[in-house]
Amino acid sequence: MNGDVRDVGLASSGWDRISWADGEMPVLRAIRERFTREKPLAGVRIAACLHVTTETANLMRTLRDGGAQVALCASNPLSTQDDVAAALVAEWHLPVFARRGEDRETYYRHIHQVLDTKPHLTMDDGADLVSTIHHDRTELLGGVRGGSEETTTGVIRLRSMAQAGVLRYPIVAVNDALTKHLFDNRYGTGQSTLDGLIRATNLLLAGRTMTVAGYGNCGRGLAMRAHGLGAHVIVTEVDPTRALEALMDGYRVMPMADAVRVSDVVVTVTGNTSVVRREHFEAMKDRAVVANSGHFDVEIDLPALADLADERRTVRPGVEEFRLRDGRRVYVLAEGRLLNLAAAEGHPAAVMDMSFANQALVMEYLAREGEQLAPAVHTVPSAIDRQVASLKLAASGVTIDALTPEQLRYLSSWEEGT
Ligand code: ADE
């Protein structure tokens, strides 16, 4: 067996769930059918570091059917679905290096094993492949034509590499495609984070107060869906425009220090570090639930909480109780790792359909044109973005109007005014 997965015996359940997700991914399916005929990725080696989910499995099949040789490792130690990893290895003979719950050392060993395939293209969710190549595997740099990045946090990391002048190959920021962040970040994170919260705790949200830290696209989606379940939503922000938007969207806006005094649930989606800190734990209500749905597990200062606690124990799968010295209890979900993937299944397939359609088309674009691109962070070509939107509308049975010749003329003229 080529790869390192928990149990290949899980393959048949993995295969059934991958097929179920495939049914929700018509855009990716259409691309796969074309890739199968045209083989635009023939001879291309792709290293992918993504959450190992049913949706990712369908992306891997698509790349492979397009002629690529693909190797996959996990982009988070807690998000791997072991049955999916097993199915990819056993049914499709894809090298997959991912075990749910793997320790840090195994996580990085798996990244190196994927890089051992000497990729022409990299595909990241959080920039760990790019960063490992630039730090420890610089011998690979000559052979890499380009890479893609799936998530906001990864794009921020890569832009700072580009700004520091150390990025050595072109990256396409799939996250920044409109058909990615306006849908996946908002509707995907909104639903899947609540899915994780509810699966882990079985809490009733109606009538409860929930704080959402961060009002980017993820925060917007989460606040909207929590409101839909009857929660009183508070938003915390550091950006005045976003804070104003949250206020006018109907939420209460206040600093975290005030929010924690009244919140039953606090969820971070900022992409920044130490958003919930010692002084916040000190002011929390008894039985407050704290979770993170941002990419890295840095948003909740768990060492500070551990320091304040006399006792800690797991009270349900994925729910850890910290008993503070004054008797108050604080519950942390999924070790502060991204809740939607660690306690649920990540974004639903119907929304990953668009994100991964962008990924597949960007791999085709980079295989063709990567060598001509500068080593910088690039946007997804708008033709790809529009193609994904059109295919999704068509798959949803929706048609739209087209501009008339008169409207086209009007839009391109500057002479007509009042
Ligand atoms: N990121 C968020 N949700 C995901 C999913 N279902 N699969 C892969 N990556 C994801």
Side-chain angles (χ1 to χ4, degrees):
M1 180 187 77
N2 191 359
D4 181 21
V5 301
R6 174 114 11 234
D7 177 4
V8 275
L10 300 171
S12 110
S13 125
W15 167 234
D16 287 344
R17 294 198 317 108
I18 293 165
S19 307
W20 173 261
D22 196 43
E24 292 283 300
M25 303 180 88
V27 179
L28 192 63
R29 269 201 323 272
I31 294 170
R32 188 158 74 234
E33 278 157 26
R34 177 172 69 76
F35 275 18
T36 305
R37 287 192 309 274
E38 297 177 5
K39 303 281 180 217
L41 299 171
V44 178
R45 291 190 296 273
I46 300 178
C49 179
L50 301 172
H51 300 294
V52 181
T53 64
T54 53
E55 294 77 24
T56 299
N58 285 314
L59 173 61
M60 295 299 107
R61 295 164 71 179
T62 304
L63 301 175
R64 196 204 53 175
D65 289 352
Q69 283 174 48
V70 195
L72 172 67
C73 63
S75 59
N76 186 291
L78 272 192
S79 61
T80 297
Q81 297 171 5
D82 286 321
D83 58 342
V84 169
L88 284 171
V89 168
E91 308 270 342
W92 286 301
H93 310 291
L94 280 184
V96 178
F97 302 87
R99 290 164 172 259
R100 184 181 166 86
E102 62 195 14
D103 60 19
R104 193 181 152 78
E105 191 192 327
T106 311
Y107 178 80
Y108 278 99
R109 188 178 70 242
H110 285 159
I111 286 186
H112 280 281
Q113 284 173 304
V114 158
L115 291 178
D116 288 343
T117 61
K118 298 193 174 65
H120 301 116
L121 299 176
T122 61
M123 198 176 231
D124 259 313
D125 187 331
D128 281 344
L129 285 181
V130 175
S131 131
T132 306
I133 290 177
H134 283 70
H135 279 119
D136 306 325
R137 301 294 299 268
T138 48
E139 83 279 3
L140 297 173
L141 279 167
V144 183
R145 284 181 224 166
S148 67
E149 173 52 54
E150 167 77 8
T151 200
T152 317
T153 301
V155 172
I156 292 170
R157 259 178 118 183
L158 290 158
R159 288 227 159 89
S160 69
M161 283 178 79
Q163 239 157 26
V166 296
L167 185 65
R168 299 272 300 279
Y169 64 87
I171 300 289
V172 175
V174 167
N175 180 72
D176 294 357
L178 297 176
T179 47
K180 199 280 183 184
H181 68 265
L182 290 182
F183 301 91
D184 162 323
N185 298 24
R186 198 160 25 158
Y187 304 107
T189 307
Q191 178 167 322
S192 62
T193 301
L194 289 174
D195 184 8
L197 175 68
I198 292 165
R199 286 196 209 193
T201 62
N202 198 25
L203 274 190
L204 177 73
L205 283 178
R208 294 278 171 73
T209 299
M210 174 162 154
T211 289
V212 175
Y215 206 62
N217 284 304
C218 296
R220 289 182 189 110
L222 181 55
M224 175 171 62
R225 293 300 183 237
H227 173 74
L229 283 177
H232 302 291
V233 177
I234 296 174
V235 170
T236 67
E237 246 304 337
V238 291
D239 178 290
T241 319
R242 286 182 173 180
L244 193 58
E245 187 187 354
L247 189 68
M248 296 212 180
D249 283 347
Y251 306 113
R252 294 168 70 198
V253 177
M254 62 183 79
M256 183 62 85
D258 297 335
V260 288
R261 291 180 196 286
V262 292
S263 294
D264 302 294
V265 180
V266 177
V267 184
T268 56
V269 269
T270 69
N272 210 333
T273 191
S274 304
V275 176
V276 183
R277 307 181 287 270
R278 187 178 192 97
E279 69 261 33
H280 302 136
F281 297 124
E282 281 170 340
M284 274 179 190
K285 288 169 65 173
D286 181 34
R287 288 185 60 80
V289 171
V290 186
N292 165 53
S293 223
H295 186 81
F296 286 119
D297 57 341
V298 295
E299 305 207 15
I300 303 168
D301 187 352
L302 284 180
L305 179 59
D307 193 47
L308 287 170
D310 261 350
E311 237 181 272
R312 53 195 280 190
R313 68 190 178 107
T314 299
V315 293
R316 289 167 61 99
V319 183
E320 194 173 9
E321 177 183 273
F322 290 74
R323 188 177 280 270
L324 309 191
R325 283 188 253 295
D326 62 6
R328 277 177 306 126
R329 290 153 294 177
V330 172
Y331 296 98
V332 174
L333 306 188
E335 303 167 22
R337 294 193 186 273
L338 75 188
L339 181 66
N340 62 335
L341 281 139
E345 293 170 63
H347 302 343
V351 83
M352 292 312 292
D353 188 26
M354 288 190 279
S355 311
F356 284 171
N358 275 292
Q359 286 282 11
L361 295 176
V362 162
M363 285 294 114
E364 179 183 34
Y365 167 69
L366 283 171
R368 202 176 54 231
E369 295 181 34
E371 270 155 350
Q372 276 92 62
L373 296 175
V377 178
H378 299 264
T379 51
V380 173
S382 63
I384 290 184
D385 218 344
R386 292 173 68 85
Q387 186 187 347
V388 172
S390 301
L391 287 170
K392 191 69 176 176
L393 280 174
S396 310
V398 174
T399 50
I400 59 173
D401 290 326
L403 290 170
T404 64
E406 183 198 0
Q407 288 170 329
L408 276 169
R409 261 196 316 280
Y410 179 81
L411 289 176
S412 61
S413 76
W414 52 271
E415 277 143 341
E416 267 181 74
T418 323

